Amino acid sequence: MSTDEKYMKYCLDLAVKGLGHAAPNPMVGSVVVYEGEIIGEGYHEQFGQAHAEVNAILSVKDKERLKKSTLYVNLEPCSHFGKTPPCADLIIEHKIPFVVIGSIDTNSLVSGQGISKLAKAGIDVKVGILEESCKKLNKRFYTFHEKKRPYIILKWAQSADGFIDVKRHEESTAKPIQISNSDSKKLLHLWRSQEQAIVIGTNTALLDNPQLTVREVEGKNPLRISVDKWLRIPRHFHLFDQSTPSLIFTSIDEPSKNNLEFIKINFEKAVIPQLLEELYKRNIQSLLVEGGELFLNSFIEEGLWDAARVFISEKELGKGVNAPVLKQKPVVRENISGDKLLYYLKEE
């Protein structure tokens, strides 16, 4: 690993600390190096607050050293005024002579303009260090800006013999079967805290009455979403409790309330693209899909997914609702206290 790669790797280690907090901004880490020593570091800690470069520069005690330093950052410094001033301007103001960047920002508000501004100020700019790793870290951000939709993660738990549930119906009083174990459930709640939104279909809402929150871990609840064409979900169910922001996609005109919004769509057209278009408008960059067989298969059949996480329990159900099937091999396998966890990435 070269010197530049070593410091860029450290930027990535800092950046990932912003997972679940920086969105819809990207995760960014930055270090300032003077004569082979890190004299400043920072990351984008919270959306709306200072960016990584700002935190790194402000952490340097002797600002005169900045004039002979190299600033490393995993994403191109911004060049526009948003919730905070442009990072490129601060770098120029402190006369930092060298800047090493992991990847270019494909957001149209930046996209090369930060690099251009630095170069015009006489700064020596190097781009593309650990570029693939930098893009992988901010896959949600890149997917959102390049595909005009959120990064979509499918999740389900299935029995050892390939079922995600027993056969149930709306009038049934049978409780949902917990297929995965308690450690897997805790991990799922961690994932929820890391994504901006979570969605289920009507059947899952009716049968399970899920809370879709992060009760098992500390963190922010995702935006809760359900599709309910005829508004069949009972109003005393968790989705309607107004405890956390929730969206219901329906065919019926219904007034919205605090933390509960009804969005009318055309069910004669494909539902998922309409849902994703609305989330794009709302700057939602990641979506966790936790629906049942039909809902999950709809995303798979339309090719609208980026990753999948599948728990396989040691339990057997014998019969029931078939689990979705992905026609590719998992990229990673883990063991979660007896549950198998398979990670998939959609092949382009």
Side-chain angles (χ1 to χ4, degrees):
M1 184 175 285
S2 69
T3 299
D4 284 344
E5 289 173 339
K6 180 182 75 172
Y7 290 125
M8 190 59 66
K9 172 66 167 58
Y10 191 57
C11 288
L12 293 172
D13 291 342
L14 289 170
V16 76
K17 293 180 179 181
L19 181 59
H21 305 285
N25 283 349
M27 291 176 280
V28 183
S30 180
V31 296
V32 179
V33 178
Y34 173 79
E35 294 184 352
E37 176 189 356
I38 293 177
I39 61 171
E41 63 181 64
Y43 68 98
H44 186 31
E45 299 176 17
Q46 187 76 41
F47 176 68
Q49 296 181 10
H51 290 186
E53 303 95 315
V54 175
N55 287 330
I57 290 170
L58 293 180
S59 73
V60 175
K61 293 179 180 178
D62 183 357
K63 297 295 191 289
E64 282 300 307
R65 288 187 172 187
L66 290 170
K67 296 176 182 178
K68 296 181 180 179
S69 294
T70 301
L71 182 140
Y72 289 83
V73 62
N74 59 288
L75 187 71
E76 177 182 2
C78 62
S79 56
H80 66 288
F81 282 88
K83 287 187 175 292
T84 59
C87 292
D89 289 2
L90 187 67
I91 294 169
I92 294 168
E93 177 187 331
H94 285 280
K95 300 179 180 179
I96 299 173
F98 304 102
V99 174
V100 179
I101 298 167
S103 56
I104 293 175
D105 187 339
T106 54
N107 181 351
S108 60
L109 292 173
V110 184
S111 196
Q113 296 177 50
I115 293 170
S116 177
K117 180 177 274 193
L118 295 174
K120 286 179 180 177
I123 295 172
D124 187 340
V125 181
K126 186 184 292 186
V127 183
I129 305 301
L130 296 184
E131 184 175 18
E132 287 307 309
S133 295
C134 292
K135 287 184 174 180
K136 183 178 179 181
L137 175 72
N138 279 309
K139 55 198 173 189
R140 298 164 181 80
F141 180 78
Y142 280 105
T143 297
F144 180 82
H145 287 289
E146 293 174 8
K147 296 186 177 181
K148 311 302 181 187
R149 64 163 175 79
Y151 184 85
I152 301 169
I153 304 167
L154 310 180
K155 172 271 164 187
W156 70 86
Q158 65 184 63
S159 63
D161 50 354
F163 300 105
I164 61 172
D165 199 358
V166 296
K167 296 281 187 180
R168 292 185 289 151
H169 54 83
E170 290 177 39
E171 290 75 24
S172 172
T173 56
K175 293 183 178 181
I177 291 178
Q178 183 65 42
I179 293 178
S180 54
N181 62 41
S182 58
D183 286 338
S184 295
K185 182 180 179 182
K186 189 172 183 178
L187 179 57
L188 168 61
H189 283 223
L190 175 64
W191 293 342
R192 288 177 178 175
S193 74
Q194 295 170 344
E195 309 308 334
Q196 285 186 273
I198 182 171
V199 65
I200 57 172
T202 311
N203 287 339
T204 298
L206 288 170
L207 293 173
D208 296 352
N209 185 20
Q211 296 182 54
L212 304 182
T213 57
V214 296
R215 305 177 302 284
E216 300 283 332
V217 299
E218 289 186 11
K220 184 180 179 182
N221 288 328
L223 171 68
R224 302 186 300 190
I225 304 168
S226 184
V227 177
D228 187 5
K229 183 178 180 179
W230 301 116
L231 292 182
R232 292 190 293 139
I233 303 170
R235 294 306 171 98
H236 65 274
F237 273 29
H238 294 303
L239 274 171
F240 292 99
D241 64 16
Q242 298 177 251
S243 64
T244 193
S246 306
L247 302 181
I248 306 295
F249 286 83
T250 181
S251 64
I252 297 173
D253 287 310
E254 182 75 10
S256 296
K257 303 175 182 178
N258 181 47
N259 273 350
L260 179 60
E261 191 171 351
F262 296 90
I263 300 172
K264 188 176 180 180
I265 59 172
N266 184 356
F267 280 81
E268 293 182 3
K269 296 181 179 180
V271 169
I272 293 173
Q274 294 180 76
L275 185 153
L276 298 179
E277 183 180 358
E278 180 65 29
L279 295 186
Y280 178 76
K281 291 177 183 176
R282 292 168 180 259
N283 211 17
I284 301 297
Q285 296 186 2
S286 62
L287 177 67
L288 189 60
V289 182
E290 283 195 40
E293 177 199 17
L294 294 176
F295 198 58
L296 285 162
N297 276 326
S298 295
F299 281 86
I300 294 170
E301 289 165 6
E302 294 186 39
L304 290 170
W305 65 283
D306 300 287
R309 301 167 184 175
V310 182
F311 292 105
I312 302 179
S313 171
E314 296 175 318
K315 301 174 185 175
E316 292 192 359
L317 297 182
K319 59 181 180 179
V321 180
N322 291 322
V325 176
L326 295 173
K327 298 177 182 178
Q328 58 190 74
K329 294 181 179 180
V331 294
V332 176
R333 298 172 185 263
E334 291 183 7
N335 185 298
I336 311 295
S337 302
D339 285 348
K340 295 177 184 176
L341 174 55
L342 309 182
Y343 289 87
Y344 295 84
L345 290 176
K346 184 172 179 288
E347 298 171 350
E348 296 297 336

